[in-house]
């Protein structure tokens, strides 16, 4: 009887301990209203508590999945009381400001990101970004799991949003706009995106209907905030694709903080797995730093710097691509000579001064410079055989080209140089009056771009040169000799020295209020943008546009947790340099700003399922575009017509369900429908190059129940095919075929040796705050995705064959992460 009683007591105590083992972490820095850290603040939650150190930093573990009230108290300052409800394993950063006169009590349970929800902004957990596998892991990799965001090339970090192209997306880091290289034409030439995920503290993304404070682009905004360190910390990430190292620190008096990141990437693991055998030598490296110094309680100065060096040496050797049908199998066999040598070097620096005039007024001054020097040199001769494949099982020549139906060659030559210097000065203000917030800015930008473009391509089939597509005369070779001059199939030569001056300004107002029992939020603003284009041999032009925008959100006092949003406005995209340069490389200074009348209707439905939090987000949108600048898209290279000769439209529906499908982890499923068409020169509506009708994606996190240290991360994407893969310079009205659907699954397995819950006071694991090892499988199902076609011509039959250029097959990667 006593034994049974003892077992019952032990079991009861185990159940209690298991219940309390479900924990979360609150941490942060406590400041006063003069922005100075406050030490010796008592942080208490029921029977547990801690206090802030000399830098104002604190950390506190609390029970998860229940309302926990935390009290911050100090002898000098009024106490702060706030309630949290966090999921198991979640780390929440809360940085309160203590006031000497007013007691601050928060009765709202902090369990979500409602502040951003009303603005139609998706907030992404940086820890999720760092863990999710992908051929190009990082912020952009995770964006592709969101509805409305697409990219059919895993080697590229670029993305299109709701029918826009890669040039229509804004990227900010700490409120400073950043840029991409100009000359990149292939995903495998890309190395590292600007955003270093080791340095990221917060990620906000808007896929349309964004506020006036964001710049003049048509599609999306990615707003990144880098960390303000509160302690010394080292993070490292190593894999077969490269590695990264970041160091963050803060001075003893908390006035100076710094975070520095180094990255190196080598795409050889992925490029060497493709069907083209190559000598591939590429190195992509960068160094970033974010430094901040608090001169006084009211003034602080920060510096954001980046130095990037990308070298790409590519020497293709042979390629064999099998295609066709089982009954009629064909193969393309290519032998290469020559090489491509590219180099992209960028330097970026920005100073940002912040002045806290008082509790309600903050002023910013920003000065930044971006300098890029880019070289793209190539001479590649490709000689091909196109023919039938030997399908005789047991034959020693099985799979080889047996009978040639076409032979030919193609010579590509390029000597492209670009030097761009972009300098910006901006003044910003933020004023709060009761429930009203007023923001404004004035910004001047000078873009000085020197560009030399020399490209030509010669194609022959069976020894006969293929004439340029713009020549109307029909060539009867080989039956009738052609006696005209031999011309290259493509030949572009231009030299441009272009200066663009921009003056931008915005003002916007926002307010939180109530209508009856419903909470409402308003935002209205307008942007003005004036730009002038001039340069050597270029006639000067000057244009101005105004962009009014507005948002409204309402949360009714219903039993069901619903939030409704409507946003829209008139969005302009004044042309950047690439949009001014036409297909012949000539700058057209009178190109107008593309214009989009945009409206977005959204709904967030928050609910509980399996006693865990979930949210269903739905958005419907419509864009009416005019003064559209038509373009062609090949891999990631965009070539504009630079003549504003089209009008277009886009509409669609985006849905995302996210929540704790597995307790303690956030996952989501996305669906998107899009239709976008354009009418060029009133010839009728056809699909735009980004008309990707359906999109399904999933991001799933899990762990092994019996081995909780074993984590699993799954990244799934399915996109229907894009229009494209057409022959060079083909008329889009005559060629509207689509590429195959894009299907990809990346999975990662991570075994955690050390984390916040598993710390060691002795042994070799003692120095680590976090340590994990894992394996990643890219393209798990080995799907053959293609991004473009190679077109092979038979001079006798005049037939052209489309041979797909396949992307990466299944690839294995090993990875380790650590924190000290």
């Amino acid at each position: 009887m006593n034994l049974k009683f003892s077992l019952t007591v032990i079991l009861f105590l185990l159940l209690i301990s298991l219940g309390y083992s479900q924990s979360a972490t609150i941490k942060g820095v406590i400041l006063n209203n003069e922005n100075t850290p406050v030490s010796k603040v008592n942080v208490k939650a029921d029977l547990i508590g801690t206090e802030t150190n000399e830098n104002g930093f604190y950390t506190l573990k609390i029970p998860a999945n229940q309302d926990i009230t935390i009290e911050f108290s100090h002898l000098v300052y009024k106490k702060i009381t706030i309630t949290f409800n966090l999921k198991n394993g979640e780390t929440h950063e809360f940085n309160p400001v203590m006031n000497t006169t007013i007691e601050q009590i928060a009765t709202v349970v902090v369990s979500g990101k409602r502040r951003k929800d009303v603005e139609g902004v998706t907030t992404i957990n940086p820890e999720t970004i760092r863990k999710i596998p992908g051929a190009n892991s990082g912020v952009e990799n995770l964006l592709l799991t969101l509805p409305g965001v697409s990219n059919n090339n895993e080697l590229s970090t670029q993305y299109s949003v709701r029918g826009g192209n890669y040039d229509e997306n804004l990227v900010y880091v700490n409120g400073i706009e950043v840029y991409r290289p100009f000359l990149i034409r292939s995903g495998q030439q890309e190395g590292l995106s600007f955003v270093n995920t080791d340095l990221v503290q917060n990620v906000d993304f808007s896929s349309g209907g964004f506020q006036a404070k964001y710049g003049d682009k048509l599609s999306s905004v990615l707003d990144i905030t880098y960390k303000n360190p509160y302690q010394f910390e080292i993070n490292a990430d190593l894999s077969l694709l490269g590695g990264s190292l970041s160091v963050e620190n803060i001075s003893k008096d908390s006035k100076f903080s710094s975070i520095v990141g180094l990255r190196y990437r080598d795409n050889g693991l992925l490029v060497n797995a493709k069907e083209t055998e190559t000598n591939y030598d590429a190195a992509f490296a960068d160094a970033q730093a974010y430094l901040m110094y608090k001169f006084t309680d009211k003034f602080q100065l920060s510096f954001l710097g980046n130095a990037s060096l990308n070298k790409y040496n590519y020497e293709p050797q042979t390629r064999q691509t099998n295609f066709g049908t089982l009954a009629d199998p064909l193969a393309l066999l290519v032998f290469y000579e020559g090489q491509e040598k590219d180099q992209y070097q960028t330097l970026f620096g920005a100073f940002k001064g912040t002045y806290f005039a008082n509790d309600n007024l903050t002023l910013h001054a920003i000065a930044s410079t971006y300098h890029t020097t880019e070289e793209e040199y190539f001479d590649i001769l490709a000689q091909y055989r196109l023919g039938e494949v030997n399908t005789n099982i047991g034959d020693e020549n099985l799979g080889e080209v047996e009978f040639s139906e076409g032979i030919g060659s193609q010579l590509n030559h390029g000597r492209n140089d670009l030097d761009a210097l972009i300098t910006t000065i901006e003044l910003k203000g933020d004023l709060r009056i009761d429930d009203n917030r007023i923001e404004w800015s004035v910004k001047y930008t000078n873009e000085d771009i020197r560009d030399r473009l020399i490209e030509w391509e010669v194609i022959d089939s069976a020894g006969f040169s293929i004439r340029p597509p713009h020549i109307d005369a029909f060539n009867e070779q080989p039956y009738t000799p052609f006696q005209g001059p031999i011309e290259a199939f493509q030949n572009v030569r231009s030299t441009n020295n272009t200066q663009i001056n921009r003056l931008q300004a915005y003002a916007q107002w926002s307010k939180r209020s109530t209508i009856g029992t419903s909470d409402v939020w308003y935002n209205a603003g307008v942007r003005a943008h004036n730009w002038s284009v001039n340069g050597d041999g270029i006639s000067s032009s000057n244009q101005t546009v105004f962009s009014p925008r507005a948002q409204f959100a309402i949360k009714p006092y219903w039993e069901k947790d619903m939030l409704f949003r409507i946003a829209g406005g008139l969005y302009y995209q004044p042309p950047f340099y690439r949009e001014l340069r036409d297909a012949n490389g000539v700058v057209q200074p009178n190109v107008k700003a593309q214009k989009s009348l945009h409206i977005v209707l959204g709904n967030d439905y928050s609910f509980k399922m399996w006693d865990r939090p979930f949210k269903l987000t739905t958005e419907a949108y419509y864009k009416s575009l005019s003064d559209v600048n038509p373009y062609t898209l090949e891999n990631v290279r965009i070539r504009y017509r630079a003549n504003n000769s089209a009008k277009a439209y886009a509409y669609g529906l985006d849905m995302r369900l996210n929540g704790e499908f597995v307790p303690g982890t956030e996952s989501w499923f996305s669906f998107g429908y899009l239709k976008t068409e354009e009418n060029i020169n009133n010839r009728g509506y056809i699909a735009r190059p980004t008309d990707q009708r359906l999109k399904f994606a999933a991001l799933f996190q899990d762990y092994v129940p019996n081995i909780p240290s074993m984590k699993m991360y799954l990244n799934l994407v399915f996109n229907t095919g894009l229009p494209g893969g057409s022959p060079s310079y083909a008329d889009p009205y005559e060629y509207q075929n689509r590429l195959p659907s894009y299907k990809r699954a990346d999975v990662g397995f991570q075994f955690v040796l050390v984390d916040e819950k598993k710390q060691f006071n002795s042994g070799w694991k003692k120095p680590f705050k976090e340590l994990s090892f894992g394996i990643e499988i890219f393209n798990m199902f080995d799907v053959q995705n293609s991004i473009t076609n190679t077109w092979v011509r038979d001079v006798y039959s005049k037939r052209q064959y489309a041979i797909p250029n396949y992307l990466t097959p299944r690839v294995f990667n090993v990875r380790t992460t650590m924190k000290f």
Side-chain angles (χ1 to χ4, degrees), residues 631-632 641 678 680 683 686-687 689 726 729-737:
Y631 62 91
T632 59
R641 295 194 182 189
E678 62 187 359
I680 304 175
R683 297 177 64 185
I686 57 173
S726 61
Y729 290 91
D731 186 342
Y733 281 87
E734 297 177 1
Y735 191 96
Q736 275 289 294
N737 288 3

Side-chain angles (χ1 to χ4, degrees), residues 133-393:
N136 253 315
S137 59
V139 175
E140 295 85 357
N141 176 53
L142 201 61
L143 290 182
L144 299 181
T145 65
L146 300 179
V149 185
S150 299
N151 179 5
N152 283 24
N153 188 344
E154 63 271 5
L155 290 174
S156 172
T157 60
Q158 304 190 59
Y159 52 91
S160 64
V161 179
R162 292 179 175 176
N165 69 30
Y166 304 141
D167 291 338
E168 296 180 9
N169 305 305
L170 287 160
V171 180
Y172 291 93
V173 174
N174 286 17
I176 302 163
E177 186 175 358
V178 297
Y179 305 90
R180 293 179 179 272
F182 291 74
L183 295 181
I184 296 290
R185 67 173 66 205
S186 168
Q188 68 187 38
Q189 295 173 342
E190 291 186 36
L192 300 159
S193 74
F194 184 94
V195 180
N196 186 333
T197 54
D198 291 339
L199 279 57
V200 169
Q201 175 177 291
N202 190 64
V203 179
D204 292 335
F205 180 73
S206 174
S207 51
F210 42 86
Q211 301 173 21
K213 68 179 180 180
Y214 295 117
D216 292 300
K217 296 285 188 180
L218 296 182
S219 293
S220 75
V221 173
L222 178 61
D223 192 0
I224 305 288
T225 303
Y226 276 2
K227 296 178 183 178
N228 279 323
Y230 52 80
Q231 62 182 355
F232 178 77
E233 191 171 274
I234 299 176
N235 291 274
D237 189 327
L238 302 172
S239 79
L240 297 179
L241 288 170
S244 65
L245 176 71
S246 68
V247 180
E248 49 191 276
N249 197 13
I250 187 169
S251 63
K252 289 185 177 181
D253 59 5
S254 300
K255 286 191 174 183
F256 178 74
S257 63
S258 63
I259 182 167
V260 178
L262 303 174
R263 292 184 295 172
Y264 173 81
R265 181 176 175 84
D266 181 356
N267 280 334
L269 180 69
L270 300 167
V271 174
N272 291 332
K274 298 172 70 174
E275 63 185 7
T276 300
E277 295 184 11
T278 67
N279 289 325
Y280 176 82
D281 179 21
F284 309 104
D286 80 344
Q288 289 193 28
Y290 178 58
L291 315 175
M292 186 173 70
Y293 188 81
K294 299 177 182 176
F295 288 89
T296 67
D297 294 338
K298 289 185 176 292
F299 178 72
Q300 64 185 34
L301 181 66
S302 64
F303 171 78
L304 175 64
N306 176 72
S308 174
L309 178 61
N310 301 329
K311 290 186 176 181
Y312 175 86
N313 298 330
Y314 182 70
E315 188 176 346
Q317 295 177 325
T318 62
R319 162 188 173 179
Q320 179 169 338
T321 302
N322 297 323
F323 64 104
T325 63
L326 290 175
D328 185 21
L330 298 173
L332 174 71
L333 184 61
V334 185
F335 299 92
Y336 295 96
E337 293 181 30
Q339 63 179 332
E340 178 174 357
K341 300 186 70 173
D342 302 335
Q343 180 170 301
Y344 313 97
Q345 178 177 300
T346 62
L347 297 172
F348 175 82
F351 285 96
K352 181 178 180 180
T354 301
Y355 178 68
F356 303 96
N358 52 51
D359 290 344
N360 298 318
L361 177 61
T362 303
L363 302 173
H364 304 278
I366 302 172
S368 66
T369 296
Y370 173 82
H371 184 216
T372 180
T373 54
E374 304 176 24
E375 298 176 355
E376 188 181 43
Y377 297 166
F378 55 87
D379 286 287
I380 296 179
L381 172 64
Q383 297 174 308
Y384 69 85
R385 292 175 57 201
L386 175 69
E388 298 177 358
V389 178
N390 186 333
T391 58
N392 295 324
I393 299 176

